[in-house]
Amino acid sequence: MLVRLLLACLPIVVPAVAAAQSGGTAHLYAYTVKDRAAFEAGYRQHLRWHAAHADKLAWFAWYVTNGDRAGAFVDGTFGTTPDGLAGRPDPKGDGADFRANAGPYVSAIGDEGWELWREASRATPLEQRRPRAYLHVYAIAADEIATFEAGIAARPLRGATWYRGLDGAPGRYLLMLPASSPGAPPALSLSGGSVRTLRAETWHYAPRLALMPGVPLAR
C-alpha cells in the first residue's frame, strides 16, 4: 500500500517533445458524463481533430473522484496566453467537432478562465506539462482581496499552485495541491478576511483523454 501511495504522488511524465510553456493563462471546462465509454471514444476522436489541425495548446483531462461533482469530467489547457487561446485553430470548427463526437454524451457544468498567481505558487506542474496522478482542487472566494493575498504570501502552502479568476471575477481563486489518492480533500485553514471554500474536489488524471502537441494519443 505504501508503494502505491508513493507512486500516486509522482508526476505523470509526458515525452520531452511536449515542452513546457511560459504563459500563465488556463481555461477549464467541466461536464457530467451520461455514457462514459461512448464519451471517451467520441472525445478521443475530437482530440484527433485537434492533432490534425496542429493545435499548439496542451490539453489535460481528469475525472473528479471526490466532491459535489464526483464523476464529472474536467478538461482544460494550461500554460498559454490570452492570445494563444484566441489564436487556436478554427474555434467554430473545434466546437462543432466536439458537439458531434462527444457532445451527445455529456452536459456542460463549468467554463472557467484562470491566470497563474506566480508569487503564491510553489509548483507549476501543468505549466511544465508534468501532471500528477491526483490533485486536490479548491475553488475559493475572498471578500478582502488584499488581506487574503497578504495572508497567503505570509504562509505559503507547500506544493501549491494558485490561480486568480479571469472574466471579471475578482476575489476568486483556484488552488491545486498534490494528492496521493482519490480520497476526500482535507479541509483548508486559510486566513485573511472573509474566505469561503466554494468547491473542494479530488481529481484523477486521465492520460488517454489528454493531448500534448506533437505527441500521439496515449493508448
Side-chain angles (χ1 to χ4, degrees):
M1 176 61 73
L2 178 58
V3 173
R4 290 181 62 190
L5 292 177
L6 289 173
L7 288 175
C9 292
L10 295 175
I12 297 174
V13 180
V14 297
V17 67
Q21 305 223 110
S22 59
T25 302
H27 207 101
L28 286 168
Y29 305 89
Y31 307 87
T32 57
V33 180
K34 306 168 188 177
D35 183 330
R36 183 161 171 170
F39 163 69
E40 291 192 356
Y43 189 77
R44 282 172 62 83
Q45 184 62 34
H46 177 59
L47 291 178
R48 293 185 184 99
W49 182 96
H50 282 268
H53 286 74
D55 191 353
K56 295 180 180 179
L57 298 180
W59 290 99
F60 302 87
W62 300 266
Y63 281 107
V64 180
T65 62
N66 204 291
D68 290 343
R69 303 190 302 177
F73 173 77
V74 179
D75 72 335
T77 186
F78 287 77
T80 186
T81 64
D83 287 343
L85 279 174
R88 65 191 187 277
D90 189 8
K92 289 184 178 180
D94 181 2
D97 188 85
F98 179 89
R99 288 190 295 272
N101 286 294
Y105 313 110
V106 295
S107 295
I109 57 172
D111 184 344
E112 302 171 348
W114 301 95
E115 185 69 25
L116 180 66
W117 182 10
R118 296 182 186 275
E119 295 79 9
S121 297
R122 292 298 176 266
T124 56
L126 296 177
E127 287 72 22
Q128 297 300 314
R129 298 184 181 175
R130 296 175 60 87
R132 296 183 170 102
Y134 294 100
L135 287 172
H136 294 318
V137 182
Y138 304 83
I140 296 164
D143 293 334
E144 300 172 28
I145 296 173
T147 303
F148 171 74
E149 294 195 355
I152 295 300
R155 297 178 58 191
L157 291 171
R158 182 178 180 182
T161 310
W162 283 95
Y163 298 87
R164 294 183 175 109
L166 294 176
D167 304 323
R172 296 295 184 269
Y173 302 87
L174 193 72
L175 168 63
M176 293 183 167
L177 293 171
S180 60
S181 76
L188 287 177
S189 178
L190 299 172
S191 60
S194 177
V195 182
R196 304 180 303 283
T197 299
L198 305 177
R199 197 168 64 231
E201 299 175 335
T202 303
W203 295 2
H204 185 197
Y205 192 61
R208 292 185 68 253
L209 303 177
L211 180 66
M212 300 297 112
V215 180
L217 278 176
R219 293 185 179 274

